[in-house]
Each structure stands twice: as C-alpha cells, then as structure tokens.
Amino acid sequence: MTDRPFRSASPDGDPWLLTPGPLTTSSSVKQAMLHDLGSRDARFIAVNTGLRDRLLRIIGGQGYVCVPLQGSGTFAVEAMLGTLVPRDGRVLILVNGAYGHRMARICRIIGRAFDVMEWPEDRPVDIDALARRLQAEPEIGHVAAVHCETTSGILNPIEAIARVVADHGRRLLIDSMSAFAALPLNAGQTPFEAVVASSNKCLEGVPGVGFCLVKQAALEAAAGNAHTLTLDLHDQWQAMEKTGQWRFTPPTHVILALAKALDEFEAEGGQPGRGARYAANCDILVQGMRALGFETLLPDSLQAPIIVTFKMPADPAFDFQRFYDRLSESGFVIYPGKLTVAPSFRIGCIGRLGAQEMRAALQAIKATLDEMGIASGAPAAAAA
C-alpha cells in the first residue's frame, strides 16, 4: 500500500463525513453533551421549551406546535403518518426514491390505507399528474411528499405540490429530513399540515431526536388516531404542554447538543446563511468532479445542495469499494448509491463543512484515481 499524500481530519481527529447523515458536527456541539441534566430538572425543561420555540421560528410557524420525539427521523415520519392520518383515512404518497417507498411501507405496516404515485429517481413529482389524481379521487385526505429525496439528491417542487394539494382541499405531510433549515420552507407561504425533520441533518446536531411541526388544530383533532403509545404525537404534545416534560426518558444529551447547534445555526444567519454555505459546497464539488470527468445523475436545475449522485466511471480499473476505502483512509467518508436507474455513488455537501474541506476532498479523489490508474471518471455513455 502506498503512502497517502495527506490525511485530512476534523478538529476532533475524525474523518469528514460527506454523507446525508449523521454528519460532521462542530467541537462545541459535541462538547455540549458533556453535561448531565435530570429529565425533570427545571434547567432541562427550560432548554426543551426554548428548543421547541426556536424550531417553530424556522418555518414562521404561527398556529403550529413543535412535538419532539426520541429516535431517528424515521420515527418522526411514522409518528406523523400514524397520528395525523385517521384510521379510516387515505393518504397519497409521492415516490421518487427510497424514502417515499419507506413511507408506503410504514402505512402498510400500521394499517393506513394509501396509494402511491411513482416517478423514476431522477425525475421530480409531476404537478399536473398530481392535480389530475386528486381531482379523480376525492377519498384521498392527505398527501405525503419528500422535500429532498436523498436517494438521488433531487429537490421536489414542494411549494407547487403544496399549492395543488391545498387547491384540492387536501392536507400535505412533508418529510423534510434532509432539507429542513437549509432550504426555504415558510408556513405562511407554503400550506402544509405538518413537516418532520431531525436533529442530525442540516441543523448539524447529533442523532437521536426527530420532531414534527404541525398545525395545532390538526393535532387537536388527531386525538386517538395513533397506532402506538410511543409514537403518539398528540399524547406527547399534551404531556409537554401540561408539564414541560417528556412522557418517557428523553435523550437529554442530544437535546443539549441540538440547543447548541441551534445557537450556531442562528449565528450563521439561519436558513439563508446555512443554505448559502451548502450551495457553495455543492458548486465546488460538482465543478471539481466534472473537471475529473465525472457526470452527475441530475441536471443542475433538479439538484438540491444536500447530496450529489455521480455515475460510476466506465474505466474497468474502477472498483467502488477500493475507491471508498482509500478515500476513508484519506479522511473522507462518502456514501454508496441507492439507485435503480444507474450505478452510482453519492457525496454530501452538508454538515460542518466549508470550501476548504470540499477542495481537500476533491484533492483526495484525484489522488485516489491516480493511484488506481484511472484517467477519467466519465461514465459509460460519456466515455463512449
């Protein structure tokens, strides 16, 4: 094995995570977890109350409430579907990747009637087709959509989806795990019933907490809908409103980290500032990879500045596992592809990363290609 020309590392000595989450976090966010607070202690209750208010401000959420929940983002997605879709209701799920399919699987398991509209992973939701479907099927009460589908990195037209859903008198549920706090979403401009996200994506906290920002009136009407005790958003909300406390042991250290992450998010300028850094990261990455011959799966017009999918090089010397391992040894962790439309891999633009780290990643990629004897990252069609 040849010596690497360099090894990059975060200030804490960890590799840089160019993934859709968990992500590279700041030293100060990690240090915030070095404190023990009692779950019923007044200090923790104050942190939790403030955190809920601050999350609502990100969407301008007048008339909405914030309900945090233990677990990964998928816990929050299941809680949203299971609490807000009535047991005799029907939800239309818009699918163009793995996370839309996951919502369908959740509904199948929890016994909610659902329909699916599906597009290839490299195509956004078709607004006209959605409008025709809603017009034809009045029994559909809710529509569920993924804001940024990280299977490919595609940005779905969530504002247009929201308008069509509202125009047809239906209610929109949004999975915004990979977009929340980085891409614009304002409840005063984009009508939706609820949106879910988590602590460890664009907020740059650590994994362990999901949350639902939901219209209070809708949540009040959802009493008794939930299929489980632990994922009952209405019950969780009621407990927090009455006592300020979680029903069950909260992830106190994760909450402290998220509170610190929100400090840093606000200091960066909130969503506009955070989104601008990620957009700059994405531009550096895409331009640099194209200079090495790589081709993006998506055109720039559909690409969200969250994670970018690149087609596999055609060169027979390219072996993804070796490529991945050597980049990891250089201090950069990327992500395998999950596509059916093309062999691919993904590189993320989010987390505590900036221009310097993105350029260092490109340097490591170039060194790895040279070591593997690959002159160009061009995929099969481009190579031909």
Side-chain angles (χ1 to χ4, degrees), residues 17-36:
L17 302 182
L18 287 84
T19 69
L23 305 169
T24 294
T25 55
S26 68
S27 298
S28 49
V29 164
K30 288 187 275 284
Q31 289 166 1
M33 294 188 289
L34 301 179
H35 301 281
D36 300 318

Side-chain angles (χ1 to χ4, degrees), residues 30-47:
K30 288 187 275 284
Q31 289 166 1
M33 294 188 289
L34 301 179
H35 301 281
D36 300 318
L37 290 183
S39 62
R40 305 192 186 282
D41 183 82
R43 290 171 295 175
F44 177 72
I45 291 173
V47 170

Side-chain angles (χ1 to χ4, degrees), residues 30 34 40 50 60 66 106 138 164 186 208 218 223 234 254 265 296 327 338 355 365 381:
K30 288 187 275 284
L34 301 179
R40 305 192 186 282
C66 175
I106 287 169
V164 167
N186 187 290
H234 181 271
V254 175
F265 169 77
T296 58
L327 286 178
K338 296 180 70 171
I365 290 168

Side-chain angles (χ1 to χ4, degrees), residues 86 90 92 130-131 133-143 160-173 191-193 215:
R90 192 169 198 90
L92 176 63
L130 172 60
R133 184 69 173 267
L134 294 177
Q135 182 68 33
E137 300 186 28
E139 65 274 18
I140 293 170
H142 285 84
V143 175
I161 292 170
R163 286 195 299 271
V164 167
V165 171
D167 287 346
H168 287 81
R170 318 302 167 82
R171 291 159 287 177
L172 179 62
L173 307 176
F192 57 85
E193 182 167 278
K215 284 185 176 179

Side-chain angles (χ1 to χ4, degrees), residues 4 18 31 33 48 91 139 145 158 162 180 189 228 233-234 262 291 293 296 306 363 366 369:
R4 305 303 290 159
L18 287 84
Q31 289 166 1
M33 294 188 289
N48 192 67
V91 57
E139 65 274 18
I158 205 68
F180 184 85
Q189 301 168 2
T228 69
L233 291 177
H234 181 271
L262 282 168
T296 58
I306 305 298
Q363 182 183 353
K366 174 65 165 61
L369 293 177

